[in-house]
Amino acid sequence: MSTFELRSRLAAGLGKRGDRDASQAAPQGAAVPASPGRPSGALGRLGAFKGWLLPLAIVLLWQAASRLELVSPQLLPSPEAVIGEILALANSGELVEHVAVTGGRVFFGFLWGTLAATLLGTLTGASTTARELLDPTIQALKAVPSLAWVPLFILWFGIFETSKVALIAVGVFFPVYLNLMAGIRQTDRKLVEVARVYGLGRWQIARRVLVPATLPSYFVGLRGGLALGWMFVIAAELMGASEGLGFLMVDGQMTGRPALIVASLILFALVGKASDALLAGAGSRLLTWQDSVGNREDAGNV
Amino acid sequence: MSDMITEARTGRADPMLELEGVGKAFADRSGVAHHALAGIDLAVGEHEIVALVGTSGCGKSTLLRLVAGLDAPSEGALRLAGRPVEGPRSETGVVFQEPRLMPWLTVADNVRFALGDLSREEQARRTAEALEKVKLQGFEQALPRQLSGGMAQRVAIARALARRPQILLLDEPFGALDAFTRRAMQAHLLELWQAERFTMVFVTHDLAEAVTLADRVVVLRGTPGRVVETVPVELPRPRRGDEPEAVALERHIEGLLDLG
Ligand SMILES: Nc1ncnc2c1ncn2[C@@H]1O[C@H](COP(=O)(O)OP(=O)(O)OP(=O)(O)O)[C@@H](O)[C@H]1O
Ligand SMILES: [Mg+2]
């Protein structure tokens, strides 16, 4: 590589960094003219849509299998039947209703679980005394299979919303708590020392060093927590609900409509993936500085 | 003998930095004290450059951390600009062996990080000035991960200089750099020192570096680390590490380290 090329590459990289908004406006992995180092050819041009190839292939196989009647429609309904079921739900307005109910439960469970985890994780991460006092108990509670809380929550909060939200909150709590505590504890002591050398006080060190340094692992925890939130909402709804995607599943099972079961499964996947993408998007917006493999893309091949 | 030289060199009423009988012990897990440093007496004059050399683990970094106010001595007294060192001080700039930049801040914000107590305009002015001094104009908006090792260390030096320190402490600042970059950085640091007139105490493993930069080389050895000799370097600047006089001094220091 010539020096000139090297310099212009560096300049391009810097320009992009300098203009944060511009670099974010371009979606990551969007189609870019083939250049050295970036996979070229048909696959390369597909960019982020590569992720859709496998689901598409599965649907095609599935369609073929249904057409050829390799599986009984009572076990696996055809894609058309499933799509029809989803459209019917959408037309009657039920789709929005059920998705909103389930989404709302996850939202509030996630909110409370995250709040509690953030509070406790900050405490045990920052203070050795707090950790020695609280962490053993929290770890012990973590060992309880989360579904084992259900009878107690139903006893305490009844069979309606509160017990469901509480169960989801428990699921969300642990990944967020553990990652936050670990993140704070693993913060580079050397960076804290720099802050001390330059006269920053305790609170300033917390705000200007600990918070940004902890953010990456906090986001890992949030995403893990959200995934568990979706897992637990199904559990909660399967055990008794009159609305929500989990209820639709039970309904499909009771009334012998496999297409409805598969339809709610697909809806779960879509809504879950969408919420995760939202969170991941917020995270990468805050964490552009990270020197991880995922961020390497923009280092030179522009 | 070495005391006389110290006096001759720092024959001023108030040395910039004074250490009297300084020692440091660390307690291990079972509470047993391990002495890292003992009985260190040292006076560093204004605008003087002192190099600390010594075998690995003899307490050089520990000594620098005591001067920086990052750790407290177990015994003895440290005075900086006439006042006891009780914690990090605004007169002090520190450059560590690693650049220690905040990876989430741009180059400019990393420099500004050291200037929290100043007005916004003053921060901007000093940041621009410091980056110019280390020849990094144009990189203000770069992130640390986009810098080479030498560039990152220059940002760390700019961060320390932006505070206009009276004393600059450097712990093996160029240890991780290749020989060519290291020499360029040494020359550059010396230029800055000539222009800014700060006092400088630095740790190095590179005896040529010690002899080309320093007015005095303090040789430490042992566990706990003690000063075995203070070697004055009275060669005109600019110096080269391969001049016969310099080489003779390097040999002499090497001999001191090999004893033991
Ligand atoms: N925070 C600490 N806790 C316990 N022991 C320490 C601590 N810091 C340093 N020591 C001990 O003090 C001694 C001196 O360490 P120091 O880092 O000052 O050596 P050094 O001369 O800088 O060595 P090197 O040339 O390898 O950097 C070592 O034995 C080390 O184990
Ligand atoms: Mg050291």
Side-chain angles (χ1 to χ4, degrees):
Chain A
M1 200 187 322
S2 72
T3 5
F4 172 73
E5 205 182 335
L6 190 81
R7 216 181 301 149
S8 58
R9 280 183 167 203
L10 184 59
L14 289 178
K16 209 174 161 197
R17 278 282 143 234
D19 189 352
R20 278 172 186 236
D21 289 326
S23 75
Q24 243 123 38
Q28 285 229 325
V32 164
S35 67
R38 205 175 254 281
S40 49
L43 261 184
R45 270 193 291 279
L46 265 175
F49 295 105
K50 281 201 281 284
W52 290 98
L53 288 179
L54 187 60
L56 204 70
I58 291 173
V59 170
L60 285 178
L61 265 177
W62 173 17
Q63 174 72 19
S66 314
R67 268 291 152 79
L68 300 172
E69 293 184 358
L70 295 178
V71 277
S72 140
Q74 273 315 305
L75 295 181
L76 188 68
S78 73
E80 288 133 313
V82 172
I83 292 169
E85 196 70 62
I86 293 178
L87 287 179
L89 282 172
N91 283 336
S92 68
E94 278 176 275
L95 178 71
V96 178
E97 210 172 292
H98 289 298
V99 168
V101 167
T102 301
R105 287 172 181 149
V106 173
F107 177 81
F108 284 108
F110 184 72
L111 191 73
W112 292 119
T114 300
L115 269 177
T118 305
L119 215 78
L120 285 171
T122 305
L123 257 173
T124 54
S127 144
T128 315
T129 318
R131 185 167 60 254
E132 286 168 356
L133 265 171
L134 300 172
D135 193 53
T137 310
I138 295 174
Q139 298 288 348
L141 289 177
K142 186 183 137 232
V144 178
S146 304
L147 293 185
W149 293 105
V150 171
L152 198 60
F153 284 171
I154 289 180
L155 188 69
W156 285 349
F157 306 123
I159 55 166
F160 298 111
E161 290 311 299
T162 317
S163 58
K164 292 187 179 61
V165 170
L167 182 67
I168 297 164
V170 167
V172 170
F173 176 84
F174 288 104
V176 178
Y177 168 80
L178 292 173
N179 280 287
L180 178 58
M181 180 177 72
I184 295 176
R185 293 194 64 197
Q186 282 157 14
T187 298
D188 196 346
R189 200 178 47 83
K190 293 176 170 176
L191 295 183
V192 175
E193 238 163 39
V194 169
R196 284 181 56 208
V197 163
Y198 294 116
L200 275 70
R202 262 176 153 256
W203 279 110
Q204 277 178 312
I205 290 177
R207 191 170 63 82
R208 298 184 62 188
V209 181
L210 290 178
V211 169
T214 308
L215 226 44
S217 60
Y218 187 53
F219 262 95
V220 169
L222 287 180
R223 286 181 73 179
L226 187 62
L228 279 186
W230 283 104
M231 224 171 97
F232 280 49
V233 79
I234 309 188
E237 291 183 345
L238 284 182
M239 278 177 301
S242 50
E243 293 172 293
L245 292 174
F247 160 76
L248 278 186
M249 279 183 168
V250 179
D251 198 35
Q253 186 197 350
M254 301 290 215
T255 56
R257 289 150 71 198
L260 186 58
I261 302 180
V262 178
S264 17
L265 224 135
I266 289 174
L267 287 172
F268 257 125
L270 288 177
V271 184
K273 175 69 192 149
S275 65
D276 180 62
L278 221 68
L279 200 56
S284 66
R285 195 164 264 272
L286 285 168
L287 302 174
T288 39
W289 53 268
Q290 267 195 306
D291 192 9
S292 57
V293 181
N295 268 344
R296 267 300 156 98
E297 280 178 51
D298 62 337
N301 304 317
V302 178
Chain B
M1 162 76 190
S2 65
D3 280 344
M4 265 172 58
I5 292 163
T6 309
E7 233 173 74
R9 283 242 136 224
T10 62
R12 268 166 273 238
D14 293 313
M16 186 69 218
L17 173 69
E18 268 180 294
L19 276 68
E20 275 175 28
V22 168
K24 177 74 185 174
F26 293 103
D28 68 9
R29 274 166 194 280
S30 46
V32 182
H34 290 272
H35 293 268
L37 276 175
I40 306 289
D41 296 314
L42 182 68
V44 182
E46 266 176 56
H47 195 48
E48 196 184 9
I49 305 183
V50 168
L52 301 175
V53 303
T55 45
S56 185
C58 70
K60 305 179 294 294
S61 298
T62 303
L63 184 58
L64 223 53
R65 293 174 57 83
L66 296 180
V67 176
L70 286 170
D71 287 327
S74 322
E75 57 201 47
L78 290 96
R79 269 186 304 280
L80 185 69
R83 286 189 295 128
V85 177
E86 280 157 350
R89 290 259 293 269
S90 61
E91 298 100 316
T92 314
V94 183
V95 177
F96 298 93
Q97 179 161 5
E98 332 76 37
R100 299 196 182 185
L101 304 178
M102 308 294 148
W104 53 88
L105 295 179
T106 62
V107 164
D109 286 339
N110 263 292
V111 175
R112 203 170 295 137
F113 188 85
L115 303 172
D117 46 346
L118 302 176
S119 73
R120 283 201 161 268
E121 300 84 65
E122 185 65 10
Q123 285 182 8
R125 224 167 52 76
R126 292 232 198 153
T127 302
E129 191 186 286
L131 286 175
E132 196 188 318
K133 274 181 205 155
V134 297
K135 305 198 175 78
L136 280 176
Q137 314 97 300
F139 290 91
E140 288 83 358
Q141 298 308 317
L143 285 168
R145 67 181 166 94
Q146 296 169 308
L147 304 177
S148 71
M151 287 159 85
Q153 197 59 312
R154 264 144 66 200
V155 177
I157 292 174
R159 180 174 61 189
L161 290 181
R163 298 242 294 194
R164 307 213 176 121
Q166 293 179 39
I167 183 165
L168 188 60
L169 309 173
L170 308 102
D171 192 354
E172 299 186 43
F174 311 135
L177 305 179
D178 63 274
F180 178 74
T181 314
R182 194 184 316 162
R183 234 167 296 139
M185 298 274 288
Q186 288 164 2
H188 188 54
L189 185 63
L190 211 55
E191 274 172 40
L192 289 171
W193 168 79
Q194 263 148 2
E196 311 267 314
R197 308 199 59 80
F198 45 77
T199 305
M200 197 150 79
V201 178
F202 72 101
V203 172
T204 184
H205 273 135
D206 178 352
L207 297 184
E209 179 170 282
V211 168
T212 40
L213 291 181
D215 295 311
R216 278 187 297 149
V217 179
V218 175
V219 185
L220 294 155
R221 206 183 61 212
T223 340
R226 294 174 189 275
V227 179
V228 278
E229 195 174 316
T230 300
V231 181
V233 187
E234 280 155 340
L235 304 174
R237 291 195 170 91
R239 304 170 184 156
R240 289 177 53 97
D242 51 8
E243 286 164 11
E245 298 94 327
V247 172
L249 279 173
E250 288 163 37
R251 290 265 160 75
H252 172 66
I253 297 167
E254 222 175 318
L256 291 172
L257 294 175
D258 280 344
L259 284 177

